[in-house]
Amino acid sequence: MVTVAVRLSVVLLVFVAGCFAHCRPPDGCARTETRCVGNVAQICDANAYWTVFADCDRVSAQSGERFVCEFVDEETEEGRITGHTCTPAGEDQEGGAQ
Amino acid sequence: MKGRIQALPIVGAIFRWRDIKPDEVRAFWRHMSERFDTTTVNKQEATEMQLVAHALDLLGILDRDRFLTHFTTTIGRRIYAPFEVGNPQGGWDLWSQVVICVHEHQHVVQHDRDGLSYEATYLTDRASRARYEAEAYRSNLEMHFWRYGTMPSTRRLAELLLDYGCRRDDVEVVAQSLALAAVSVRRGAVMNEATRAAFDWLEEHVARLRSSPVA
């Protein structure tokens, strides 16, 4: 009986916690759109919510140099990539910044 | 394929020659387990994984054997590995065992950072699952760049999420976030905590394998 109660509690907790992801209205952003909020890069997910993609302060601490959230526009092996991400502070942007 | 060849007697030694050594793979896993306080469990022998595999098979989500042999699974601080660490086998050559170790430990970082919300939204929300996996796959990018100095296809990595029940729209978001992460990594960023811990050990013990300099 106790086991059943524990399992039910776990299931309930999972759904309550899962609710955090759904119980607010979508932000209304466009899927794959990106932005900087302070020094944090965010991306719009498939449910139209802004989600944190990279905390550039944390990246700085782990990389041994300062990174800032910036717009990038780059040609790569897989094609052109544009959006916001962490780049080394003071680095010249080849594709321009926004 | 490479793992299967590495496992062969005599011939396997040739294919292991320039790779990380089995003892080094074991030492690396020990380092990560100590750093993040995790336990590694043989997936095929774990009753709970047999049950999950059976359930996934019954639900038509994933073939039982494929789940048990192709996927490493992390629940909390327990990592269920479908291979014996340090022993190469089909699908799991020695370097890929190192990479998956970092990937799974980033899931442990997520578990520590987001608590119950991580497990709950991973299970119930496809966009959240995609986001968490995208973050863990960043470690794959970082490890590949450290070793080879090139980037693997971010699109191909993103499409792996179709095996996780994610939608095409989720894959698009992951492909975009991985491509942007690749830009940062090429410029010297270490984005994931698990990767930082991995680099610390790799730089100290197997720097010979490194292709590109990192911080």
Side-chain angles (χ1 to χ4, degrees), chain B residues 97-163:
Chain B
Q97 292 184 11
V98 169
V99 174
I100 196 67
C101 179
V102 186
H103 176 110
E104 296 304 325
H105 278 90
Q106 189 60 31
H107 285 311
V108 176
V109 170
Q110 293 165 345
H111 166 80
D112 288 346
R113 185 185 63 211
D114 297 346
L116 182 61
S117 162
Y118 160 62
E119 272 85 10
T121 57
Y122 187 100
L123 288 173
T124 58
D125 178 43
R126 286 177 289 189
S128 297
R129 190 180 315 140
R131 175 164 49 90
Y132 283 123
E133 284 300 337
E135 182 184 317
Y137 275 117
R138 278 201 316 231
S139 286
N140 298 50
L141 293 182
E142 293 173 312
M143 293 294 287
H144 191 95
F145 191 69
W146 184 89
R147 178 83 197 270
Y148 302 108
T150 59
M151 279 296 162
S153 165
T154 53
R155 163 66 51 181
R156 202 169 301 157
L157 274 180
E159 289 188 347
L160 294 174
L161 290 186
L162 294 172
D163 274 339

Side-chain angles (χ1 to χ4, degrees), chain A residues 14 17 22 31-32 43 46-47 51 53-54 62-63 67 74 77-78 81-82 84-88 91 93, chain B residues 120 125 127 131 138 153-155 167 169-170 172-173 176-177 179-180 183-184 186-187 189-191 193 196 215:
Chain A
V14 163
H22 301 285
R31 180 168 45 83
T32 74
I43 188 165
N47 294 340
T51 59
F53 148 62
Q62 289 167 178
S63 307
F67 279 75
E74 237 180 63
E77 302 90 337
E78 291 189 282
I81 174 73
T82 59
H84 298 81
T85 191
C86 304
T87 63
E91 184 180 83
Q93 291 293 303
Chain B
D125 178 43
R131 175 164 49 90
R138 278 201 316 231
S153 165
T154 53
R155 163 66 51 181
R167 301 158 291 189
D169 284 356
D170 297 312
E172 288 305 313
V173 174
Q176 169 78 349
S177 73
L180 287 168
V183 170
S184 298
R186 274 196 209 93
R187 296 180 183 184
V190 180
M191 304 190 81
E193 196 177 325
R196 179 69 270 168

Side-chain angles (χ1 to χ4, degrees), chain B residues 195-207:
Chain B
T195 311
R196 179 69 270 168
F199 284 171
D200 289 343
W201 190 94
L202 294 169
E203 289 289 336
E204 187 181 343
H205 296 93
V206 290

Side-chain angles (χ1 to χ4, degrees), chain A:
Chain A
M1 197 61 184
V2 173
T3 310
V4 172
V6 168
R7 281 179 186 165
L8 281 174
S9 304
V10 169
V11 169
L12 188 64
L13 275 173
V14 163
F15 279 96
V16 167
C19 194
F20 288 124
H22 301 285
C23 292
R24 63 184 172 92
D27 296 321
C29 49
R31 180 168 45 83
T32 74
E33 187 184 354
T34 63
R35 68 179 183 181
C36 290
V37 176
N39 207 24
V40 173
Q42 296 187 338
I43 188 165
C44 184
D45 74 12
N47 294 340
Y49 288 106
W50 285 111
T51 59
V52 173
F53 148 62
D55 180 335
C56 301
D57 287 336
R58 184 171 295 169
V59 170
S60 303
Q62 289 167 178
S63 307
E65 62 177 311
R66 177 151 171 73
F67 279 75
V68 292
C69 184
E70 279 187 335
F71 181 82
V72 295
D73 182 346
E74 237 180 63
E75 275 301 329
T76 71
E77 302 90 337
E78 291 189 282
R80 187 175 175 203
I81 174 73
T82 59
H84 298 81
T85 191
C86 304
T87 63
E91 184 180 83
D92 289 333
Q93 291 293 303
E94 288 172 14
Q98 283 183 358

